[in-house]
Amino acid sequence: MKQQGAHPEDTEGTPDASSRQDSDTARPDADAARPDADAAHPGAAQQDAEQQDVAHIDEVEGDEPLLPARVHRPSDLMRLVGGVLAVVVLLAIAAFAHGTTSGLEQDINKGTGQAPDLLIKIAGLASSIAILLVPVAFAIERLIKRDGLRIADGVLAAVLAHGVTLATDLWVARAAPGSIQDALTQPSPGDIHALTDPVHGYLAPVIAYMTAVGMSRRPRWRAVLWVVLLLDAFSMLVTGYTTPFSIILTVLIGWTVAYGTLYAVGSPNVRPTGRTLMAGLRTVGFRPVTASREETPDAAESGDRGRRYFVTLEEGPPLDVTVVDREQQAQGFFYRAWRNLALRGFATRRSLQSLRQALEQEALLAYAAIAAGANAPKLIATSELGPDAVMLVYEHTGGRTLDSLADDEITDDLLRGTWHQVKALQSRRIAHRRLVGDAILVDRSGTVILTDLRGGEIAAGDLLLRMDVSQLLVTLGLRVGAERAVASALSVLGPDAVADCLPMLQPIALSRSTRATLRKLARERAEREREAVLEASRHSRPARAHDADGPVTHDDGPVTLDKADKKAVRAEQRAEKRAIDEALDEAREEDLLSQIRHEVLLIRPQAPVEPARLERVRPRTLISFIAGAIGAYFLLTQLTHIEFGPLIANAEWGWVAAAVLFSAASYVAAAMALLGFVPERVPFPRTVAAQVAGSFVKIVAPAAVGGVALNTRFLQRAGVRPGLAVASVGASQLFGLGCHILMLLAFGYLTGTEKTPSLSPSRTVIGGLLTVAVLVLVVTSVPFLRKFVVTRVRSLFAGVVPRMLDVLQRPQKLITGIGGMLLLTACFVMCLDASIRAFGDDSTSVSIASVAVVFLAGNALGSAAPTPGGVGAVEATLTVGLIAVGLPKEVAAPAVLLFRLLTLWLPVLPGWLAFNHLTRKAAL
């Protein structure tokens, strides 16, 4: 194809000779049979054909809808991130490898110092002139081809790059470490008292401009410009006006700013339109009449597979055409990149391919599938549609996808036919990688055709082939059930091949759309189980509701229940619990994956069922590691200048003992805070042991998750029904959040009035209230956020509010719960205060109100942090907070470490013992 401009109109040129020659072999036979008149009068025939072509361009019925003028490319974002990281690495090398940078500069200066003066002057003059003329000439060429948007992008990138260079120069001159300054500057040849510029103010904008306008895609322009840049860098190095690190930093800044600009404002959309497709089909020998776009059912997952068209011809059968362009190919890039990071190599494929690689892979798989004896669309032509798109032309297959078939149309013969196609692929070690419903086509005769082979793989390993089997089992099971899906697979593949796929039968090995469907079915099952439990509860308590219409009274006052009545109430409670358990057992359903395993194990009881290890890293592990590293960095920066030896030697051990006692008392307070919202009878000592066990659990799980899960499990084992256990823990958490906010505001108010005679609130409290008000306004004004919050709050109060009504009927319980929360906060505050006094004196002490504010803020951040126990986040927040309220760094850092040692690390061993003890007693 000709190298045309970026706009779709530029891609409608004539192909080169090689493209025309390759397309001749792909023409249908009908196209080869031309009227004799065309052969007798070739000039007239060619003129008529050109007129008809123009008419077809004007009469395209299936043209694309209006495309956006600009698109945000993930590749630009990745290049931006890569450029920023490269700048950081370069500055780190300059800062810490001073000897290496100095030696490199000396070697380069020694080598360039031997260059002839005439050559240096000619190179400097030529580069100075050309570095301005080349971009201007390219801009004129683009304007002639009506591509002014790229020029505007280039100018914007150049202006931003110039601003970044000025900021970098100012930072290096005034605030950068001496080693970085030495690496980027040197004494100016004209004035030994002045330094050269760290970043070239004109070179970085030129690089940003050339990158933003896309000169790198034009080989000739790119070669000319790089020659000019190398000449300029050579002349600057030889004359002593720059350093090697300065040149590299200049190139990186220009490159990074250009891609940041392109991603921010978007790149001009070069996606070919339907008219471009029609012109491209004519260049490979077809005579199209109409083209209609086929919509894909799942744009989120299938967007990278290209756009599909149904094309009718003047003569011959219709065609199926797939168009792949750079923008669609980049869709889902970040999802695929995460899969490549999280999953092992054998379970993933490349996250981003070039257009040429995508074209070659799909063509290779199409030919390989047909050679293996499978029914697949026949590829008859391929071609480029300009520099940014390719097309693949297939014979039209027709038919409907498996997803569009009715349930009664999916017969056993159809299922077996699908497995026969997969067996044909696997006989030649071909993995499909996406055997979902819309990739399985059924024509009018009932023949199964496998489509969407682009993401497949040849010479696939055993694990990929087993993943295909497990994926198809789930795809068919979602339509016809596990029994029929497994039976059809067994009849074609045999028991051994089906049993070998069980380790791959896990959500992470399935396609994105299949996982979404399984999650939806899981939510529906949970809702049915919940409705069954509520229905059983309503039917089992009519007698109790009748007895609870009002208290039994006497003339002298209410009458208490005797022992027989209490036994009757307990018997009714046990009967209600038994009825709910029976209803839950009847309503409980196995998920589809478990049903498939069960069906396979009936045939092969010895089949392996342990899931294969496909994940390289879990998202929670990665987030915890990053958050912990950031927290540890901030904590270590506070500890680098502290001498712990003399500090520990002078510590007040009496206050250390007091801190230990306050830490131990917090577990009693936590048990009170939980039991205050549980109307049922639960042993208090065992509840305290459960809170001690929580100190072990929160080390291996985030603080806001581990404690909730453990308390819920403990209440269920103690005889509280699952729904009520969740509601009790939720009520405790809700009240705890309210108390936490009120105490934070109250202590913040007191902290603000400590140093002022008037009772005016502190600026922190006012700022916090204003921030909360702004967040509330934002949430209520955005429909998506409002719906999300309302849904979550409604589901929370659906179970918590009835539970709270039960608690309010027992004021003693409510007082216990609220008192336990206040006592829990007081224990932690006093523990932190005692830790401060252990390392400080009267001159370094701070008020209890200030300590309380710091603890409440640190505890809130620790609960929100994704790290286990809030490690890193809590330490950094407490240390910074104590320093902010006036405590010296030498006292704040060890005090925080002692506090966290007593409340987080030392209780781990007792917590582990308590956890094992409660587990053996079936209390957890």
Side-chain angles (χ1 to χ4, degrees), residues 400-737:
R400 293 180 295 167
T401 63
L402 183 69
D403 289 339
S404 63
L405 294 178
D407 292 341
D408 55 357
E409 295 180 285
I410 305 178
T411 62
D412 291 338
D413 291 336
L414 178 60
L415 297 178
R416 287 191 292 270
T418 305
W419 285 112
H420 277 296
Q421 300 307 311
V422 175
K423 183 178 181 180
L425 290 180
Q426 299 208 346
S427 66
R428 301 294 178 87
R429 313 294 294 181
I430 301 174
H432 188 285
R433 304 299 302 273
R434 194 181 173 276
L435 288 170
V436 295
D438 62 344
I440 302 172
L441 202 65
V442 182
D443 64 10
R444 294 180 179 178
S445 63
T447 302
V448 176
I449 303 171
L450 298 181
T451 63
D452 294 339
L453 288 164
R454 180 183 170 195
E457 187 170 332
I458 63 172
D462 290 337
L463 290 178
L464 290 181
L465 299 180
R466 294 171 187 173
M467 288 174 67
D468 269 0
V469 175
S470 62
Q471 172 65 61
L472 187 56
L473 278 174
V474 177
T475 299
L476 299 180
L478 290 172
R479 295 303 311 274
V480 301
E483 184 177 357
R484 289 182 61 191
V486 173
S488 60
L490 292 172
S491 63
V492 177
L493 302 181
D496 294 334
V498 178
D500 289 341
C501 81
L502 289 186
M504 300 293 111
L505 202 62
Q506 48 183 310
I508 195 65
L510 304 176
S511 68
R512 195 176 187 179
S513 59
T514 305
R515 294 199 304 272
T517 303
L518 293 178
R519 286 194 296 268
K520 179 182 177 181
L521 294 177
R523 290 193 295 268
E524 294 176 355
R525 287 196 308 273
E527 184 64 23
R528 289 193 295 268
E529 292 177 3
R530 180 174 177 272
E531 292 295 332
V533 170
L534 294 177
E535 185 68 20
S537 179
R538 284 193 295 266
H539 285 293
S540 63
R541 55 166 59 177
R544 292 183 58 192
H546 180 269
D547 295 338
D549 288 340
V552 180
T553 59
H554 213 275
D555 294 339
D556 297 333
V559 177
T560 59
L561 296 176
D562 56 14
K563 292 183 178 180
D565 293 333
K566 291 181 179 180
K567 290 182 178 180
V569 170
R570 292 195 187 98
E572 291 177 356
Q573 292 177 346
R574 288 193 296 270
E576 179 185 0
K577 182 177 182 300
R578 186 165 53 253
I580 291 176
D581 292 339
E582 292 175 355
L584 185 61
D585 292 337
E586 294 178 359
R588 185 174 289 115
E589 305 174 24
E590 278 189 323
D591 62 280
L592 179 62
L593 301 185
S594 299
Q595 295 177 25
I596 293 175
R597 292 191 191 95
H598 178 72
E599 294 293 332
V600 176
L601 290 176
L602 291 177
I603 306 299
R604 281 287 187 272
Q606 71 278 12
V609 295
E610 185 69 22
R613 179 71 182 275
L614 300 179
E615 286 183 296
R616 182 185 290 118
V617 59
R618 296 177 183 272
R620 187 178 66 184
T621 304
L622 183 61
I623 294 174
S624 299
F625 175 77
I626 294 175
I630 295 174
Y633 170 78
F634 284 108
L635 179 62
L636 290 176
T637 56
Q638 304 293 330
L639 302 178
T640 52
H641 302 292
I642 299 176
E643 297 181 0
F644 287 96
L647 195 66
I648 296 175
N650 298 327
E652 295 288 341
W653 294 102
W655 284 111
V656 174
V660 173
L661 293 178
F662 286 126
S663 176
S666 64
Y667 297 102
V668 179
M672 294 172 56
L674 176 63
L675 293 183
F677 298 91
V678 183
E680 292 82 3
R681 184 179 181 85
V682 179
F684 184 78
R686 183 165 290 185
T687 307
V688 175
Q691 305 313 303
V692 176
S695 60
F696 165 70
V697 174
K698 67 183 179 182
I699 288 295
V700 297
V705 177
V708 171
L710 183 136
N711 286 330
T712 302
R713 179 67 173 173
F714 170 73
L715 293 180
Q716 292 178 9
R717 288 292 189 176
V720 182
R721 293 198 304 272
L724 297 181
V726 174
S728 294
V729 176
S732 175
Q733 294 289 321
L734 187 62
F735 259 79
L737 177 62

